[in-house]
Amino acid sequence: MAPAQSGPDRPDLSAATLGARRYGYGLKPGEAPAADVDALMLQLKRGSAAKPRFPRDGITGRRETIGRLLTVRAVEAKAALEGRPNPSLRRETQREAERFFIRDVLGRIGQAVASENGFFERLASFWIDHFSVSARKAYEMRMIVPLFEAEAIRPNLAGSFTELLRAAMLHPAMLTYLDPEQPGGPVATALLRSGKGLNEALARELLELHTLGSDSGYTPDDVRGAALILAGLSLDTRSLQVAYQPPPAEPGTLALLGKTYGADGRSGSDHLAMLEDLATRPETARNISTKLVRHFIADQPPPEIVDQMVAAWAESGGNLSAVYRAMLEHPRAWSGETGKVIPPFDFVVSGLRAFEQKGGEFSALAKAAELEAAEEAPVAPAKGPALQQPAVARALTFRALARLGQPVWQPPSPAGFPDDVEAWLSPRQLSERLAWARLAARTLGRDLDPSAFLSATLADAARAETREVVAEAPTKVHGVTMVLASPEFNRR
């Protein structure tokens, strides 16, 4: 199906440019953008089959690494209780976890920069934010959160929402993040207590954020019911194994949204049945469809697009690929209207993609950023290629995202990062973006022709006013900076 291309303010915008900007991370020299719905849907298939650049040691290797480090920490904690503390060992395990985390963050950025499957990558970002967990919650979370995205989110984002919900909600990252009684550090097996503690927090976020939505009409009794159904979940934080052993049912109390669970005795699958029921409810379909449209198309989601997605959800039984296709096939999904301000992660990734004119450039940037010797070095360029300067590399990647307010895998709350114009259009935000643009232009784009860079980066999305400003720039660096600071580059 060919997408509609009309729009009141940009009737001449091509489908290829709009698709790259709205449903991916922007245009990249040498990469052919997806120009229709089928091409974008093909990216889902390719992305699902691709191995991400993180965790750096792979999924199996990461689980082994976590087990090793947590065992060391447990031994150290036991020795401390016996009067034989070893603070240097604790500091070293913390430093090792932080090194793993930095490498994974760079891998996450590099994944978005290098991938030809922009729509899949954008969906991965959407879902890791929808099922928000923070790497700063606890020491072990530095290593668990990258694993969470790699093994729970990415393999399931193009299939059944039921499977995605199960994988996300029952992952060690989610159980650790939402445990209010564990501020940090490895702990013994943690049993979820009936109506209190971890499962109450998990139940509340399950209903409010991950399925039904805050305005869906659920009650405090529903939260209690969900918490009681979840009672019996346990997480062994040494092995990262999740188990479910339901306690005896409390007569008349295991009810959620009018349905009773465990009426004939508790079952080891009560929690799975509840997750499936929540995943297929119409309130869930509307809540998530609305969020998807808000993320990709407009801060005020057009109801007609949401309605089409909800219908596809019901018809397909919650198949997410069918829901994405329903969104993409609506004519308004390809309107030339702009307005969405891209968040910091998208801004940095789109900028780095624009400079990726030779293979291996991001690899050089990431390698330099990993170096610890110059961790506190000044940002000003030193001798040698810019991509080999650790301070510059860090300033262009994970430190930039921290300054811009969207550090990788570190959302401010279980609700994730904001997704509206007010959040990303403050004076401080604009100042930080301009500073990043200047540094990127000075270090990565000082030899580029600004007008050619504008055409390669924005194509027919560039306005005549922007072309004129860039063409009249006094220096190449100034011209490239103006491209990255332009309204077109910062909006979809």
Side-chain angles (χ1 to χ4, degrees):
M1 174 179 175
Q5 300 179 30
S6 61
D9 60 341
R10 295 306 314 275
D12 57 336
L13 189 62
S14 69
T17 301
L18 190 149
R21 298 287 305 163
R22 182 171 290 172
Y23 300 111
Y25 284 115
L27 296 166
K28 180 179 179 181
E31 182 179 298
D36 58 28
V37 174
D38 289 337
L40 288 172
M41 294 301 296
L42 180 61
Q43 291 183 2
L44 293 186
K45 186 178 296 186
R46 295 200 308 254
S48 297
K51 179 182 177 182
R53 296 187 176 201
F54 60 89
R56 186 65 65 89
D57 43 349
I59 290 176
T60 301
R62 175 53 53 87
R63 284 183 168 264
E64 292 173 351
T65 300
I66 294 170
R68 173 177 60 82
L69 291 181
L70 292 182
T71 297
V72 171
R73 287 291 294 271
V75 170
E76 185 275 330
K78 181 179 179 182
L81 289 174
E82 296 172 349
R84 298 179 289 107
N86 188 345
S88 63
L89 181 61
R90 174 174 288 266
R91 287 194 297 269
E92 179 51 37
T93 56
Q94 289 174 335
R95 283 195 295 265
E96 186 170 0
E98 195 66 25
R99 286 193 291 268
F100 273 107
F101 182 63
I102 289 174
R103 293 186 184 109
D104 287 340
V105 167
L106 289 165
R108 179 69 176 83
I109 297 170
Q111 179 75 26
V113 170
S115 178
E116 295 184 355
N117 306 309
F119 186 44
F120 180 89
E121 293 300 324
R122 286 282 306 285
L123 284 166
S125 291
F126 171 85
W127 286 113
I128 195 66
D129 197 61
H130 179 77
F131 293 109
S132 281
V133 294
S134 176
R136 295 299 170 187
K137 160 75 178 194
Y139 148 82
E140 62 267 33
M141 288 288 278
R142 313 285 201 282
M143 296 175 291
I144 296 176
V145 173
L147 183 70
F148 174 62
E149 180 173 340
E151 71 177 359
I153 301 298
R154 286 175 171 262
N156 296 298
L157 66 77
S160 160
F161 179 68
T162 298
E163 292 303 316
L164 175 59
L165 181 65
R166 286 177 178 174
M169 298 305 298
L170 302 178
H171 193 274
M174 187 67 70
L175 300 182
T176 303
Y177 178 56
L178 291 179
D179 186 351
E181 298 190 5
Q182 298 300 333
V187 294
T189 300
L191 183 68
L192 278 69
R193 298 152 293 281
S194 295
K196 298 179 181 179
L198 200 163
N199 62 318
E200 185 175 273
L202 188 66
R204 183 173 57 253
E205 309 306 354
L206 169 64
L207 300 183
E208 179 178 339
L209 300 177
H210 302 144
T211 57
L212 305 176
S214 59
D215 58 352
S216 60
Y218 70 86
T219 68
D221 286 342
D222 292 318
V223 175
R224 173 175 166 77
L228 290 170
I229 295 166
L230 291 170
L233 272 176
S234 63
L235 168 65
D236 186 326
T237 57
R238 293 276 292 278
S239 67
L240 298 186
Q241 295 301 312
V242 176
Y244 184 71
Q245 184 62 47
E250 297 181 37
T253 61
L254 295 182
L256 172 64
L257 301 171
K259 181 171 181 178
T260 300
Y261 296 81
D264 299 323
R266 293 300 305 272
S267 164
S269 61
D270 285 340
H271 65 308
L272 300 179
M274 177 188 68
L275 292 176
E276 182 173 3
D277 289 341
L278 288 171
T280 55
R281 288 190 66 91
E283 299 96 329
T284 298
R286 184 160 298 277
N287 178 41
I288 292 175
S289 295
T290 300
K291 287 187 67 174
L292 282 163
V293 177
R294 181 179 296 116
H295 176 79
F296 283 102
I297 300 174
D299 286 350
Q300 301 299 323
E304 60 270 29
I305 305 181
V306 175
D307 290 344
Q308 185 162 299
M309 296 167 69
V310 170
W313 191 298
E315 185 176 348
S316 68
N319 181 277
L320 292 170
S321 289
V323 175
Y324 305 148
R325 179 175 282 278
M327 175 180 70
L328 295 172
E329 288 186 342
H330 196 283
R332 287 201 63 178
W334 296 87
S335 164
E337 299 175 21
T338 58
K340 285 290 297 183
V341 174
I342 63 175
F345 184 83
D346 297 41
F347 171 73
V348 169
V349 167
S350 297
L352 292 174
R353 281 175 59 83
F355 288 113
E356 280 274 292
Q357 300 194 46
K358 291 176 290 194
E361 285 194 352
F362 185 83
S363 297
L365 192 71
K367 183 177 181 180
E370 285 184 28
L371 297 177
E372 296 182 40
E375 185 173 0
E376 301 302 327
V379 172
K383 292 182 179 179
L387 293 180
Q388 297 176 16
Q389 298 168 29
V392 172
R394 289 170 183 255
L396 287 172
T397 53
F398 62 88
R399 283 188 175 166
L401 290 170
R403 291 182 64 86
L404 285 162
Q406 197 180 25
V408 175
W409 293 316
Q410 297 169 67
S413 75
F417 289 103
D419 193 16
D420 53 42
V421 65
E422 288 80 9
W424 306 124
L425 205 59
S426 67
R428 183 181 183 279
Q429 178 73 204
L430 297 178
S431 176
E432 290 291 349
R433 292 192 187 210
L434 182 58
W436 189 92
R438 286 170 175 159
L439 178 61
R442 192 168 75 244
T443 55
L444 305 179
R446 55 189 168 193
D447 296 326
L448 297 177
D449 175 78
S451 293
F453 181 71
L454 174 65
S455 295
T457 302
L458 291 173
D460 51 329
R463 300 173 303 155
E465 299 92 324
T466 301
R467 292 186 181 278
E468 183 177 349
V469 168
V470 170
E472 294 177 353
T475 66
K476 290 182 178 181
V477 168
H478 185 81
V480 171
T481 300
M482 290 300 98
V483 175
L484 300 174
S486 67
E488 301 95 297
F489 191 85
N490 286 270
R491 291 181 179 268
R492 307 193 206 285

